[in-house]
Amino acid sequence: MEFNHISVLADEVIENLNIKPDGIYVDLTLGKGGHSKRILEKLSENGRLIALDQDQDALNAAKKNLSDYPNVTFIKSNFENIDKVLDQLEISKIDGALMDIGVSSYQIDNAQRGFSYMHDGPLDMRMDANNELTAEKIVNGYSLDELQEIFSKYGEERFSKTIARNIVETRNKQRIDTTFKLRDLVNKSVKTKEVHPEKRVFQALRIEVNRELEVLEKTLQKVIDYLNKDARLCVISFHSLEDRIVKNTFKELEKDCICPPDLPVCVCNHKAKVKIITKKPITASKKELKENSRAKSAKLRVCKRI
């Protein structure tokens, strides 16, 4: 299956990165390289792009897509390792970075990856195929309480207890090992007229498998520490949990003092690191939505190092 993916909010990202031709930039979620290609088009031969992705299929597709650009360095890694990657490359500061933290169209549409409730396939959901934990292992191995917790916390699912209980009862008779088996079980567990009520459970499992929220806030902090003065970080998120983390992290990093309000003087010595450029998130234009319906939930937030 060919790795196809349309980069969302590409014009808005390039505008907000404020690219310097000879700068060093990092794409922390390379995908097929759509955003990276737009960055590279703005760079001179002295500029440099560091491109990370934990999905080997994505890296293979991006290397082919960006084969005309000699000034890009490809790294197979989760973005949580950005500090180690830059240290190994002997890069102390960068001039901008991008995080597009959604699932690619290829990952969704490839049934063998197990991300989608629209295609029957193995219950996998790993972005990095070398990881040991899969959605199947979670569904068939986590306790009732653990399942309920991740469905509630990561999927904001109000029927989390019922779904978890039915999963445990079902797996005692037969292993739940495909996306359709899980989809059908969830549909039988909830009493709603909602189309695709299983989407929240699938989201929760994907987040748990890939530790998505766990590493997001830490990575934001790490990236900002590597930014040069006036360098920008652009982050595209696709659901409320991600967006909330980005929004709140930016807000905390914009504060000078984080002492409790009842203290008469500041004792924390905390200094603001960023200025928020987007007071409200940037969303897709009507034109983009017509061309790519998956951009509907995308939100872009931008901050600048001070």
Side-chain angles (χ1 to χ4, degrees), residues 73-88:
T73 302
F74 298 98
I75 305 289
K76 184 181 184 300
S77 179
N78 187 298
F79 55 56
E80 70 174 314
N81 301 315
I82 183 58
D83 51 342
K84 297 175 183 176
V85 169
L86 292 178
D87 290 350
Q88 288 172 358

Side-chain angles (χ1 to χ4, degrees), residues 26-278:
V26 177
D27 186 343
L28 291 122
T29 47
L30 175 61
K32 190 180 179 180
H35 287 117
S36 282
K37 190 170 187 178
R38 295 288 299 274
I39 294 171
L40 287 162
E41 288 171 350
K42 293 282 187 178
L43 295 179
S44 69
E45 60 182 14
N46 295 320
R48 186 177 183 186
L49 177 70
I50 314 301
L52 282 71
D53 207 294
Q54 60 182 325
D55 188 328
Q56 188 61 54
D57 289 344
L59 282 169
N60 294 340
K63 286 177 181 178
K64 183 178 180 181
N65 189 32
L66 304 176
S67 59
D68 292 337
Y69 299 92
N71 51 343
V72 53
T73 302
F74 298 98
I75 305 289
K76 184 181 184 300
S77 179
N78 187 298
F79 55 56
E80 70 174 314
N81 301 315
I82 183 58
D83 51 342
K84 297 175 183 176
V85 169
L86 292 178
D87 290 350
Q88 288 172 358
L89 294 172
E90 299 183 343
I91 295 173
S92 58
K93 290 292 179 181
I94 60 176
D95 297 295
L98 162 69
M99 298 174 69
D100 176 358
I101 46 183
V103 183
S104 73
S105 299
Y106 167 82
Q107 290 168 329
I108 294 172
D109 293 337
N110 186 343
Q112 293 305 306
R113 300 298 296 270
F115 283 99
S116 176
Y117 45 80
M118 300 295 290
H119 308 285
D120 195 18
L123 201 53
D124 195 316
M125 300 193 193
R126 291 174 296 176
M127 291 183 180
D128 182 348
N130 292 324
N131 287 344
E132 292 185 4
L133 186 64
T134 65
E136 181 184 346
K137 288 182 179 179
I138 292 171
V139 168
N140 292 281
Y142 276 27
S143 69
L144 188 151
D145 289 343
E146 288 172 330
L147 289 171
Q148 180 183 346
E149 181 181 7
I150 66 167
F151 296 157
S152 177
K153 183 178 180 181
Y154 296 150
E156 299 178 298
E157 173 56 65
R158 60 194 177 104
F159 297 109
S160 58
K161 186 173 184 177
T162 302
I163 295 169
R165 185 173 62 246
N166 288 345
I167 284 174
V168 171
E169 290 176 356
T170 301
R171 76 190 189 192
N172 287 335
K173 304 171 186 175
Q174 181 186 30
R175 190 169 182 85
I176 305 166
D177 54 5
T178 70
T179 53
F180 275 11
K181 283 182 182 179
L182 178 62
R183 182 197 67 178
D184 294 344
L185 192 156
V186 173
N187 283 330
K188 292 175 182 177
S189 301
V190 301
K191 298 178 180 179
T192 177
K193 295 181 179 179
E194 177 187 7
V195 178
H196 298 306
E198 67 275 10
K199 64 185 178 184
R200 290 182 294 275
V201 168
F202 274 68
Q203 173 183 296
L205 288 169
R206 193 197 80 219
I207 290 172
E208 176 73 5
V209 168
N210 299 289
R211 301 165 43 243
E212 293 176 32
L213 302 185
E214 177 186 333
V215 302
L216 177 56
E217 184 175 353
K218 293 178 183 178
T219 303
L220 292 171
Q221 301 262 5
K222 288 179 181 180
V223 174
I224 285 166
D225 284 340
Y226 277 90
L227 293 179
N228 274 318
K229 184 177 181 295
D230 294 329
R232 296 186 175 192
L233 170 60
C234 296
V235 185
I236 302 172
S237 61
F238 287 83
H239 60 72
S240 60
L241 297 175
E242 292 171 338
D243 183 58
R244 195 177 305 142
I245 290 174
V246 177
K247 176 183 177 181
N248 292 339
T249 301
F250 282 7
K251 280 188 173 181
E252 284 299 307
L253 292 170
E254 194 179 40
K255 292 179 181 177
D256 259 334
C257 174
I258 56 174
C259 289
D262 56 339
L263 285 182
V265 293
C266 175
V267 295
C268 69
N269 296 317
H270 184 272
K271 297 296 181 183
K273 291 184 177 182
V274 306
K275 176 182 179 182
I276 296 174
I277 302 299
T278 50

